[in-house]
Amino acid sequence: MLAQRMSLLSESGTAAAREAAKVAAAAGREIVDLAAGEVIIAPPKTVRDGAVAAIEAGINRYTDSIGLIPLREAVAVKLTASTHVNWTVDNVVITNGAKQALFDAMLAVVDPGDEVIIFKPCWPTLPSQVLLAGAKPVFVDVKGPTYIPTIESVRAAVTPKTKAIILNSPNNPTGAVYDRAALQAIGDLAIGYQLWIISDECYSSFVFNGHPHESIVTAHPGVRSRTVLVNAFSKELAITGWRLGYFAAPPDIVSAAKKLQSHTTSNANVIAQHAILHHLKVTDGVFEKGMFERLSRARTDGLAILARLADVPVPQAEGSFFFYLDLGKLLAKLPTRAPVKTVDDIARLLLEETGVASVAGSTFGDPTGLRLSFGAPPELLLPALEKLVGSLNALKSRQAAA
Ligand code: PLP
């Protein structure tokens, strides 16, 4: 018999969407994967060089469970520069990706029975981790086109059991970037009710609204003592499989993570740690700039194609690398007895008909959304979006005829 907690979880829905795409590809279909949560590009040479040098030097041993001190120092410097808040090595923990950083944070701050506020649509790992910690996710629905919660809706979700709020800006899946006023209002609320803020900022390198990313601790420095700021190198340096993330937090949380990681994973992979340390020492920022420019262009060109969709508003896509479509109006116009009724049906149809893999909003708790990654290679992305627009625009008439 499995532990009861396991029945509360399902496998990541994005993994399931990608699995369906793999099955179709294995059957000989040409598939364009717009379901992936990663930019399809080789990692920077500096990272690869750092890894090779560490391997050639025979580096092989455990590190401190929360990471190499020079790497923690380098991350503290990087975060101090990007947040304009001072962090030291004592605030930083190196983790196996942002995922472990989030889970450390969750286990460190919540007790069984506590409630944690999550904005929905949400990346499905967030509520799953709350459940794994024995706590209860409390969802606050956010709506397009901005997908930013009103402070009234957040306040209405607070109860005496609320322990934390999870923020994710830039957001997966919606592409929302919270503005300063929203961050400050959430910060005030967290202080007023003495809540923790777990701020997942792992798409911080990808903000396309003309401003640099703003962390909640920058917008509202008063929350720093109650914030766990989570980030990773996974997306920023296109090394999702290398598993290297981090968080910055008050020293109590760092001590808790030290215990947790010492009993679960020990340290993050030592070669990856050295590779990133080397990168941080020598990078001239050219890779990061190139990646940003590629995504910016893909976003602009992709939005121009998506603007031709009928009955689907053009997404704002201010941050991360996702176009998040709201298909509510389109679904409402389909005949009630048509074979395609849900976003899952639409994601399946698109895969079958156009070979485009997407992620249905149901994965994120949203019955009308559809997520498309613009991290795919541009030469594949744009034709795929053209086909998708053609297929969705034809849907109403074909369903009526069916
Ligand atoms: N947070 C969000 C919002 C994500 O979308 C992802 C990955 O898709 C992660 C965290 C996990 O990042 P990592 O691969 O660094 O564990």
Side-chain angles (χ1 to χ4, degrees):
M1 270 284 263
L2 284 178
Q4 268 181 8
R5 231 169 248 195
M6 289 303 120
S7 66
L8 300 173
L9 301 182
S10 48
E11 200 208 353
S12 157
T14 50
R18 299 197 68 196
E19 200 46 47
K22 274 193 205 147
V23 170
R29 305 267 330 275
E30 237 176 65
I31 301 300
V32 181
D33 183 2
L34 304 190
E38 53 203 342
V39 180
I40 311 303
I41 188 173
K45 173 109 174 59
T46 42
V47 172
R48 289 180 275 145
D49 286 347
V52 170
I55 291 168
E56 290 298 340
I59 287 175
N60 59 341
R61 303 201 39 203
Y62 291 123
T63 70
D64 189 334
S65 68
I66 56 173
L68 294 164
I69 289 178
L71 180 59
R72 290 168 59 209
E73 280 167 349
V75 168
V77 168
K78 177 178 159 73
L79 272 181
T80 301
S82 63
T83 62
H84 312 294
V85 169
N86 197 38
W87 303 100
T88 72
V89 66
D90 297 329
N91 299 116
V92 174
V93 170
I94 305 298
T95 60
N96 287 276
K99 228 172 219 182
Q100 184 176 34
L102 289 163
F103 200 37
D104 282 354
M106 196 62 57
L107 292 176
V109 306
V110 308
D111 284 307
D114 284 345
E115 294 178 358
V116 177
I117 294 176
I118 299 177
F119 304 116
K120 196 173 79 179
C122 61
W123 180 56
T125 292
L126 301 176
S128 300
Q129 291 193 344
V130 172
L131 291 168
L132 281 171
K136 180 179 165 204
V138 173
F139 295 105
V140 171
D141 288 328
V142 294
K143 296 274 170 239
T146 65
Y147 294 101
I148 294 177
T150 62
I151 199 64
E152 293 73 30
S153 64
V154 190
R155 189 169 294 112
V158 176
T159 76
K161 290 187 178 169
T162 309
K163 194 67 164 291
I165 301 178
I166 304 181
L167 284 185
N168 173 218
S169 173
N171 190 271
N172 173 14
T174 65
V177 172
Y178 287 32
D179 55 32
R180 180 174 291 190
L183 292 171
Q184 286 176 337
I186 292 171
D188 281 341
L189 186 137
I191 291 171
Y193 290 102
Q194 302 194 0
L195 308 178
W196 282 98
I197 296 173
I198 299 173
S199 185
D200 177 350
E201 304 182 14
C202 72
Y203 294 91
S204 59
S205 307
F206 311 117
V207 177
F208 305 103
N209 60 8
H211 303 285
H213 165 71
E214 188 163 68
S215 169
I216 179 119
V217 297
T218 312
H220 197 322
V223 299
R224 187 227 167 114
S225 60
R226 57 181 64 257
T227 299
V228 183
L229 193 173
V230 172
N231 210 319
F233 295 100
S234 311
K235 317 277 172 176
E236 179 178 323
L237 297 178
I239 50 164
T240 43
W242 290 38
R243 312 309 303 131
L244 212 77
Y246 56 91
F247 70 75
D252 280 0
I253 304 287
V254 172
S255 308
K258 194 165 187 168
K259 290 188 230 171
L260 278 168
Q261 295 196 175
S262 76
H263 292 301
T264 52
T265 55
S266 297
N267 53 274
N269 181 296
V270 66
I271 301 299
Q273 290 194 59
H274 278 280
I276 296 301
L277 183 55
H278 176 71
H279 172 79
L280 293 176
K281 276 188 194 151
V282 303
T283 182
D284 53 9
V286 167
F287 174 87
E288 289 87 336
K289 191 160 171 277
M291 171 123 113
F292 182 80
E293 282 168 1
R294 175 182 132 175
L295 288 172
S296 257
R297 260 194 315 275
R299 173 181 175 271
T300 305
D301 296 347
L303 286 176
I305 296 170
L306 294 175
R308 299 204 286 272
L309 279 168
D311 302 312
V312 181
V314 183
Q316 294 194 341
E318 289 204 337
S320 70
F321 40 79
F322 301 114
F323 296 129
Y324 194 65
L325 304 182
D326 181 356
L327 304 184
K329 213 163 130 201
L330 175 66
L331 285 167
K333 286 193 174 176
L334 297 180
T336 36
R337 292 177 55 205
V340 170
K341 293 188 188 65
T342 66
V343 279
D344 296 273
D345 296 336
I346 289 190
R348 241 185 329 266
L349 178 94
L350 288 172
L351 186 62
E352 281 165 19
E353 205 175 81
T354 66
V356 176
S358 57
V359 185
S362 51
T363 300
F364 313 109
D366 173 9
T368 64
L370 189 79
R371 192 191 80 176
L372 308 166
S373 166
F374 54 92
E379 68 280 10
L380 300 178
L381 170 72
L382 301 178
L385 291 177
E386 296 276 8
K387 281 194 215 162
L388 176 139
V389 167
S391 182
L392 289 182
N393 281 351
L395 193 60
K396 249 186 320 174
S397 46
R398 275 186 305 138
Q399 295 293 302

